[in-house]
Structures are given as structure tokens and as C-alpha cells.
Short mmCIF file of all heavy atoms in Angstrom, two decimals:
data_model
loop_
_atom_site.label_atom_id
_atom_site.label_comp_id
_atom_site.label_asym_id
_atom_site.label_seq_id
_atom_site.Cartn_x
_atom_site.Cartn_y
_atom_site.Cartn_z
N LEU J 543 -30.45 0.92 -32.94
CA LEU J 543 -31.74 0.30 -33.32
C LEU J 543 -31.60 -1.21 -32.98
O LEU J 543 -32.56 -1.79 -32.43
CB LEU J 543 -32.11 0.50 -34.76
CG LEU J 543 -33.48 0.00 -35.13
CD1 LEU J 543 -34.49 0.68 -34.43
CD2 LEU J 543 -33.76 0.25 -36.67
N ARG J 544 -30.48 -1.80 -33.23
CA ARG J 544 -30.32 -3.20 -32.90
C ARG J 544 -30.38 -3.39 -31.38
O ARG J 544 -30.94 -4.34 -30.87
CB ARG J 544 -28.93 -3.71 -33.45
CG ARG J 544 -28.97 -3.97 -34.94
CD ARG J 544 -27.73 -4.75 -35.32
NE ARG J 544 -26.44 -4.11 -35.03
CZ ARG J 544 -25.83 -3.24 -35.74
NH1 ARG J 544 -26.35 -2.90 -36.98
NH2 ARG J 544 -24.68 -2.68 -35.35
N TYR J 545 -29.82 -2.47 -30.64
CA TYR J 545 -29.85 -2.54 -29.12
C TYR J 545 -31.36 -2.38 -28.73
O TYR J 545 -31.75 -3.12 -27.82
CB TYR J 545 -29.10 -1.31 -28.59
CG TYR J 545 -29.34 -1.05 -27.15
CD1 TYR J 545 -28.92 -1.92 -26.17
CD2 TYR J 545 -30.23 0.01 -26.77
CE1 TYR J 545 -29.20 -1.63 -24.80
CE2 TYR J 545 -30.50 0.27 -25.46
CZ TYR J 545 -29.98 -0.57 -24.44
OH TYR J 545 -30.29 -0.32 -23.18
N LEU J 546 -32.14 -1.48 -29.32
CA LEU J 546 -33.53 -1.35 -28.98
C LEU J 546 -34.28 -2.66 -29.30
O LEU J 546 -35.18 -3.07 -28.56
CB LEU J 546 -34.08 -0.11 -29.64
CG LEU J 546 -33.75 1.26 -29.21
CD1 LEU J 546 -34.40 2.28 -30.05
CD2 LEU J 546 -34.00 1.45 -27.70
N ASP J 547 -33.96 -3.23 -30.38
CA ASP J 547 -34.70 -4.54 -30.85
C ASP J 547 -34.35 -5.59 -29.90
O ASP J 547 -35.30 -6.36 -29.43
CB ASP J 547 -34.32 -4.83 -32.23
CG ASP J 547 -34.94 -3.93 -33.32
OD1 ASP J 547 -35.98 -3.25 -33.00
OD2 ASP J 547 -34.44 -4.01 -34.45
N HIS J 548 -33.09 -5.63 -29.48
CA HIS J 548 -32.60 -6.68 -28.51
C HIS J 548 -33.39 -6.47 -27.17
O HIS J 548 -33.91 -7.48 -26.61
CB HIS J 548 -31.18 -6.74 -28.27
CG HIS J 548 -30.71 -7.57 -27.26
ND1 HIS J 548 -30.74 -8.96 -27.42
CD2 HIS J 548 -30.23 -7.38 -26.02
CE1 HIS J 548 -30.29 -9.51 -26.30
NE2 HIS J 548 -29.94 -8.64 -25.41
N ARG J 549 -33.44 -5.28 -26.74
CA ARG J 549 -34.08 -4.95 -25.44
C ARG J 549 -35.58 -5.33 -25.55
O ARG J 549 -36.16 -5.89 -24.61
CB ARG J 549 -33.89 -3.45 -25.06
CG ARG J 549 -32.52 -3.06 -24.65
CD ARG J 549 -32.20 -3.51 -23.27
NE ARG J 549 -33.03 -2.93 -22.29
CZ ARG J 549 -33.46 -3.58 -21.19
NH1 ARG J 549 -33.06 -4.84 -20.94
NH2 ARG J 549 -34.24 -3.03 -20.33
N GLN J 550 -36.22 -4.94 -26.63
CA GLN J 550 -37.63 -5.26 -26.74
C GLN J 550 -37.84 -6.81 -26.77
O GLN J 550 -38.80 -7.23 -26.08
CB GLN J 550 -38.12 -4.69 -28.10
CG GLN J 550 -38.36 -3.24 -28.02
CD GLN J 550 -38.84 -2.67 -29.36
OE1 GLN J 550 -38.97 -3.36 -30.34
NE2 GLN J 550 -38.95 -1.33 -29.46
N SER J 551 -37.07 -7.48 -27.48
CA SER J 551 -37.27 -8.97 -27.47
C SER J 551 -37.05 -9.59 -26.11
O SER J 551 -37.72 -10.48 -25.70
CB SER J 551 -36.42 -9.54 -28.56
OG SER J 551 -35.00 -9.50 -28.24
N SER J 552 -36.01 -9.15 -25.34
CA SER J 552 -35.80 -9.66 -24.07
C SER J 552 -36.85 -9.34 -23.08
O SER J 552 -37.25 -10.15 -22.27
CB SER J 552 -34.39 -9.20 -23.53
OG SER J 552 -34.39 -7.77 -23.31
N ILE J 553 -37.41 -8.12 -23.15
CA ILE J 553 -38.54 -7.78 -22.36
C ILE J 553 -39.77 -8.64 -22.64
O ILE J 553 -40.57 -9.09 -21.81
CB ILE J 553 -38.83 -6.27 -22.49
CG1 ILE J 553 -37.74 -5.52 -21.68
CG2 ILE J 553 -40.23 -5.92 -21.81
CD1 ILE J 553 -37.86 -3.93 -21.81
N LYS J 554 -40.03 -8.91 -23.94
CA LYS J 554 -41.16 -9.65 -24.35
C LYS J 554 -40.94 -11.11 -23.86
O LYS J 554 -41.99 -11.74 -23.37
CB LYS J 554 -41.29 -9.68 -25.92
CG LYS J 554 -41.78 -8.36 -26.44
CD LYS J 554 -41.92 -8.41 -27.97
CE LYS J 554 -42.36 -7.07 -28.49
NZ LYS J 554 -42.36 -6.97 -29.95
N GLU J 555 -39.72 -11.69 -23.92
CA GLU J 555 -39.50 -12.97 -23.28
C GLU J 555 -39.79 -12.99 -21.83
O GLU J 555 -40.41 -13.91 -21.34
CB GLU J 555 -38.10 -13.43 -23.64
CG GLU J 555 -37.83 -13.77 -25.08
CD GLU J 555 -36.32 -14.00 -25.36
OE1 GLU J 555 -35.59 -14.16 -24.37
OE2 GLU J 555 -35.95 -14.09 -26.55
N ARG J 556 -39.31 -11.99 -21.12
CA ARG J 556 -39.46 -11.92 -19.64
C ARG J 556 -41.06 -11.80 -19.35
O ARG J 556 -41.52 -12.38 -18.42
CB ARG J 556 -38.73 -10.80 -19.12
CG ARG J 556 -38.80 -10.58 -17.64
CD ARG J 556 -38.24 -11.81 -16.85
NE ARG J 556 -38.42 -11.51 -15.47
CZ ARG J 556 -38.71 -12.42 -14.58
NH1 ARG J 556 -38.73 -13.70 -14.99
NH2 ARG J 556 -38.87 -12.13 -13.31
N LEU J 557 -41.76 -10.96 -20.16
CA LEU J 557 -43.09 -10.84 -20.00
C LEU J 557 -43.86 -12.15 -20.08
O LEU J 557 -44.77 -12.51 -19.33
CB LEU J 557 -43.67 -9.83 -20.91
CG LEU J 557 -43.49 -8.36 -20.52
CD1 LEU J 557 -44.01 -7.47 -21.70
CD2 LEU J 557 -44.36 -7.97 -19.31
N SER J 558 -43.49 -13.03 -21.08
CA SER J 558 -44.22 -14.25 -21.35
C SER J 558 -43.83 -15.22 -20.21
O SER J 558 -44.74 -15.94 -19.66
CB SER J 558 -43.83 -14.82 -22.64
OG SER J 558 -42.44 -15.21 -22.78
N ALA J 559 -42.62 -15.14 -19.65
CA ALA J 559 -42.26 -15.96 -18.45
C ALA J 559 -43.06 -15.56 -17.27
O ALA J 559 -43.50 -16.37 -16.45
CB ALA J 559 -40.80 -15.93 -18.27
N LEU J 560 -43.22 -14.25 -17.07
CA LEU J 560 -43.96 -13.76 -15.89
C LEU J 560 -45.40 -14.09 -16.04
O LEU J 560 -46.02 -14.38 -15.10
CB LEU J 560 -43.75 -12.27 -15.71
CG LEU J 560 -42.48 -11.74 -15.19
CD1 LEU J 560 -42.34 -10.21 -15.30
CD2 LEU J 560 -42.33 -12.16 -13.72
N GLN J 561 -45.88 -14.04 -17.24
CA GLN J 561 -47.32 -14.40 -17.39
C GLN J 561 -47.51 -15.94 -17.11
O GLN J 561 -48.53 -16.25 -16.46
CB GLN J 561 -47.82 -14.15 -18.85
CG GLN J 561 -49.26 -14.28 -19.07
CD GLN J 561 -50.04 -13.35 -18.21
OE1 GLN J 561 -49.67 -12.18 -18.15
NE2 GLN J 561 -51.08 -13.83 -17.53
N ARG J 562 -46.59 -16.77 -17.44
CA ARG J 562 -46.66 -18.15 -16.97
C ARG J 562 -46.64 -18.33 -15.51
O ARG J 562 -47.41 -19.03 -14.88
CB ARG J 562 -45.58 -19.08 -17.73
CG ARG J 562 -45.78 -19.31 -19.15
CD ARG J 562 -44.79 -20.20 -19.69
NE ARG J 562 -43.45 -19.89 -19.55
CZ ARG J 562 -42.77 -19.17 -20.41
NH1 ARG J 562 -43.38 -18.70 -21.54
NH2 ARG J 562 -41.48 -18.83 -20.21
N GLU J 563 -45.69 -17.57 -14.88
CA GLU J 563 -45.70 -17.57 -13.43
C GLU J 563 -46.94 -17.16 -12.75
O GLU J 563 -47.50 -17.69 -11.73
CB GLU J 563 -44.57 -16.62 -12.96
CG GLU J 563 -43.22 -17.26 -13.02
CD GLU J 563 -42.08 -16.45 -12.45
OE1 GLU J 563 -42.32 -15.77 -11.31
OE2 GLU J 563 -41.05 -16.13 -13.12
N ALA J 564 -47.56 -16.05 -13.37
CA ALA J 564 -48.82 -15.51 -12.83
C ALA J 564 -49.96 -16.56 -12.97
O ALA J 564 -50.71 -16.77 -12.05
CB ALA J 564 -49.19 -14.24 -13.60
N ASP J 565 -49.94 -17.29 -14.09
CA ASP J 565 -50.98 -18.36 -14.31
C ASP J 565 -50.78 -19.45 -13.28
O ASP J 565 -51.78 -19.93 -12.68
CB ASP J 565 -50.89 -18.85 -15.75
CG ASP J 565 -51.29 -17.96 -16.77
OD1 ASP J 565 -51.99 -16.94 -16.40
OD2 ASP J 565 -50.93 -18.11 -17.98
N GLU J 566 -49.52 -19.84 -13.01
CA GLU J 566 -49.23 -20.82 -11.97
C GLU J 566 -49.66 -20.32 -10.62
O GLU J 566 -50.27 -21.12 -9.83
CB GLU J 566 -47.81 -21.17 -11.96
CG GLU J 566 -47.31 -21.94 -13.25
CD GLU J 566 -45.84 -22.11 -13.33
OE1 GLU J 566 -45.10 -21.78 -12.31
OE2 GLU J 566 -45.35 -22.62 -14.35
N ALA J 567 -49.38 -19.12 -10.27
CA ALA J 567 -49.77 -18.60 -9.00
C ALA J 567 -51.25 -18.47 -8.84
O ALA J 567 -51.81 -18.80 -7.81
CB ALA J 567 -49.18 -17.19 -8.75
N GLN J 568 -51.98 -18.17 -9.86
CA GLN J 568 -53.48 -18.08 -9.87
C GLN J 568 -54.03 -19.48 -9.60
O GLN J 568 -54.91 -19.68 -8.86
CB GLN J 568 -54.05 -17.52 -11.19
CG GLN J 568 -53.84 -16.02 -11.19
CD GLN J 568 -54.39 -15.44 -12.51
OE1 GLN J 568 -54.48 -16.14 -13.48
NE2 GLN J 568 -54.73 -14.19 -12.53
N ASN J 569 -53.45 -20.54 -10.30
CA ASN J 569 -53.98 -21.90 -10.18
C ASN J 569 -53.69 -22.36 -8.74
O ASN J 569 -54.63 -22.99 -8.13
CB ASN J 569 -53.24 -22.79 -11.21
CG ASN J 569 -53.76 -22.57 -12.58
OD1 ASN J 569 -54.86 -22.17 -12.75
ND2 ASN J 569 -52.96 -22.96 -13.57
N ALA J 570 -52.52 -22.02 -8.22
CA ALA J 570 -52.16 -22.49 -6.82
C ALA J 570 -53.21 -21.82 -5.85
O ALA J 570 -53.61 -22.37 -4.86
CB ALA J 570 -50.76 -22.12 -6.46
N LEU J 571 -53.46 -20.46 -6.11
CA LEU J 571 -54.38 -19.82 -5.16
C LEU J 571 -55.77 -20.39 -5.32
O LEU J 571 -56.51 -20.49 -4.31
CB LEU J 571 -54.37 -18.30 -5.63
CG LEU J 571 -55.21 -17.31 -4.79
CD1 LEU J 571 -54.73 -17.37 -3.32
CD2 LEU J 571 -55.13 -15.93 -5.33
N ARG J 572 -56.17 -20.78 -6.46
CA ARG J 572 -57.53 -21.39 -6.67
C ARG J 572 -57.61 -22.69 -5.76
O ARG J 572 -58.56 -22.96 -5.15
CB ARG J 572 -57.78 -21.68 -8.07
CG ARG J 572 -58.31 -20.51 -8.80
CD ARG J 572 -58.80 -20.89 -10.22
NE ARG J 572 -58.74 -19.70 -11.12
CZ ARG J 572 -57.90 -19.49 -12.05
NH1 ARG J 572 -56.92 -20.44 -12.36
NH2 ARG J 572 -57.84 -18.43 -12.81
N LYS J 573 -56.52 -23.44 -5.88
CA LYS J 573 -56.45 -24.73 -5.16
C LYS J 573 -56.48 -24.49 -3.61
O LYS J 573 -57.14 -25.22 -2.91
CB LYS J 573 -55.25 -25.53 -5.52
CG LYS J 573 -55.29 -26.04 -6.91
CD LYS J 573 -53.98 -26.85 -7.22
CE LYS J 573 -53.93 -27.32 -8.70
NZ LYS J 573 -52.64 -27.97 -8.97
N THR J 574 -55.79 -23.49 -3.22
CA THR J 574 -55.85 -23.16 -1.74
C THR J 574 -57.28 -22.64 -1.30
O THR J 574 -57.73 -23.13 -0.29
CB THR J 574 -54.79 -22.05 -1.45
OG1 THR J 574 -53.53 -22.46 -1.91
CG2 THR J 574 -54.80 -21.72 0.02
#
């Protein structure tokens, strides 16, 4: 269960980082 919790938290962190990247990519696309 600790392993599953750790995997879930790491995936959530990666998702938030990817969401920030997606926001940056959308902003750059709008500027272009």
C-alpha cells in the first residue's frame, strides 16, 4: 500500500508538471 501511495503521489506530481508544460505550450502557440 505504501508503494501504491508513493506511485500515486509521483504520478500526481508529474501530471501537475505536465499541465504546466501544456499551459506554456498553449501560450506559445497563441503568440505564434
Side-chain angles (χ1 to χ4, degrees):
L543 187 60
R544 286 190 302 269
Y545 164 76
L546 290 177
D547 287 341
H548 174 71
R549 290 285 298 143
Q550 286 177 359
S551 65
S552 65
I553 288 175
K554 287 177 184 177
E555 289 173 11
R556 180 67 180 139
L557 279 171
S558 65
L560 282 172
Q561 190 60 48
R562 285 191 300 273
E563 282 184 44
D565 292 341
E566 291 171 5
Q568 285 177 337
N569 288 335
L571 185 58
R572 280 189 204 107
K573 289 178 184 177
T574 301

